[in-house]
Amino acid sequence: MTFDTSLTLSGPLRKPRQMLADQEYGGHTSIHDDEMAEKLGFQAGPIEGPTHFSQFDPLLVQIWGQAWFERGCISSHFKNMVVEGEEVRAFVETPKGGETSLRAWAEKADGTPVLEATASLGPDHGETLLEARRAKLTPPGPLVILEDLEVGMKGAKDEHVRMDADQHMGALYPFSLTQKLAAITEPSPWYADAATSPWGRAIIPTEMVSVLAEYSNREAGFPTRGPAVGLFADLEIRMLNGPLFVGEDYLLRREVAAIAESKRTESYWVRTRIFDKSGETQVAEVMLNHAVVKNSFENYDELRAAREA
């Protein structure tokens, strides 16, 4: 679908559900736990950023049809946290002529920005939002939590993953796909009923692709120091030969794409390539900026001062 002039499509206000209150990693609760979030100065445990991606799928299917799940890419920077009970609306600018890259964003009901993004259809995605953001990164100072990490470092081994409908996705994601579909903001029969899917199989929703990609991330063995609390600051999900299917075996390969810091966080960007089970054909790619909160690491200021001395 194309338009003579650029228009803006918007979805309904939705109240996304918080499903990570019981998330655990490194032996402690995460920022999605209300008590932990409040200790770090946040209002409450935020809803995981990828949850908002579901609100874009109907808009982008309206523009590009089923190709969105086959060759689509959403590239997003998360700007403000959302807690359960708050309403969120998604917006997408429509393409003019043959445009394959669009501006997208989400806002709370009061207009507070939630995320900014580009949505594009491959194979030519142009420069995505996160490619532009990474190009502007400056070298970090002497790091503490990530001091043993290097750009180009690869995961320790190939990781084998799958997502069955009723499979519990582990301590990082303490729920199943079936449980997620009972709470998802934008349900689709394609996610559960193979008979209705254009591909003859149930597909993994866009917001659950990061769950598949992070399911086995401990196997990567990246040398980060802890315990410390992290959050998603930026996330790009890119389909190359999609969609991803429920109950299908996949192979993951990871590498560190960038290392940076802000006033409050040290962060590392990880590129996760998703292949078919043979490891020969890449079907998707996830770029995730793990931002680790500095003041969640014990004695961070003292250790940083010593490195800067």
Side-chain angles (χ1 to χ4, degrees):
M1 180 182 296
T2 58
F3 301 83
D4 293 331
T5 59
S6 182
L7 306 172
T8 298
L9 296 182
S10 63
L13 283 168
R14 298 297 196 198
K15 291 183 178 180
R17 291 275 303 279
Q18 161 65 296
M19 298 186 70
L20 295 185
D22 297 324
Q23 184 184 62
E24 180 181 315
Y25 64 94
H28 60 82
T29 56
S30 76
I31 197 170
H32 301 285
D33 172 74
D34 285 344
E35 184 177 350
M36 177 64 77
E38 290 168 6
K39 285 181 180 178
L40 296 172
F42 299 103
Q43 174 185 352
I47 291 164
E48 187 189 30
T51 303
H52 306 303
F53 285 4
S54 282
Q55 291 184 245
F56 291 97
D57 285 333
L59 305 178
L60 295 165
V61 168
Q62 184 176 343
I63 294 171
W64 286 316
Q66 70 185 60
W68 167 247
F69 288 107
E70 297 170 341
R71 296 179 281 114
C73 173
I74 185 165
S75 186
S76 173
H77 171 61
F78 301 110
K79 303 187 76 171
N80 285 291
M81 295 180 177
V82 175
V83 299
E84 188 161 301
E86 292 185 308
E87 293 182 311
V88 177
R89 191 191 306 273
F91 299 85
V92 176
E93 287 188 348
T94 58
K96 293 182 294 184
E99 283 182 324
T100 58
S101 182
L102 314 173
R103 189 170 74 93
W105 66 99
E107 298 175 356
K108 298 183 185 182
D110 65 1
T112 300
V114 172
L115 63 84
E116 60 179 341
T118 54
S120 54
L121 190 69
D124 181 12
H125 291 279
E127 183 180 56
T128 67
L129 179 73
L130 295 198
E131 287 173 336
R133 286 180 61 79
R134 289 202 313 280
K136 296 176 182 177
L137 293 176
T138 57
L143 300 175
V144 175
I145 302 167
L146 306 180
E147 66 174 346
D148 298 319
L149 213 56
E150 297 178 359
V151 174
M153 187 175 286
K154 298 187 184 302
K157 60 180 181 178
D158 290 347
E159 304 165 33
H160 298 271
V161 299
R162 63 183 286 142
M163 183 182 292
D164 292 316
D166 295 315
Q167 175 185 350
H168 189 281
M169 297 308 293
L172 280 175
Y173 298 97
F175 52 82
S176 67
L177 175 59
T178 297
Q179 290 171 318
K180 167 58 75 172
L181 295 184
I184 199 167
T185 57
E186 308 295 334
S188 168
W190 295 357
Y191 302 150
D193 185 357
T196 67
S197 164
W199 305 276
R201 299 184 61 183
I203 68 172
I204 295 175
T206 304
E207 73 162 277
M208 290 292 281
V209 173
S210 61
V211 174
L212 180 75
E214 289 301 290
Y215 177 61
S216 59
N217 73 346
R218 293 178 183 177
E219 297 179 23
F222 291 134
T224 61
R225 302 180 67 192
V229 174
L231 50 87
F232 290 2
D234 302 272
L235 176 64
E236 179 176 294
I237 294 176
R238 183 185 301 229
M239 307 307 298
L240 304 174
N241 188 23
L244 296 176
F245 294 111
V246 179
E248 180 79 4
D249 291 318
Y250 294 102
L251 182 148
L252 310 183
R253 296 182 177 129
R254 306 183 195 271
E255 69 173 305
V256 177
I259 299 174
E261 71 169 329
S262 68
K263 183 177 180 180
R264 297 189 67 179
T265 67
E266 295 185 2
S267 65
Y268 61 110
W269 300 63
V270 175
R271 177 182 290 108
T272 301
R273 296 184 172 93
I274 305 176
F275 293 82
D276 65 5
K277 64 181 178 181
S278 73
E280 296 179 358
T281 301
Q282 187 176 348
V283 295
E285 184 169 304
V286 175
M287 178 69 74
L288 175 59
N289 177 9
H290 300 261
V292 188
V293 182
K294 292 177 178 178
N295 68 0
S296 71
F297 186 82
E298 187 174 4
N299 298 324
Y300 182 91
D301 291 340
E302 293 86 346
L303 292 166
R304 178 62 178 251
R307 285 161 174 74
E308 292 176 336

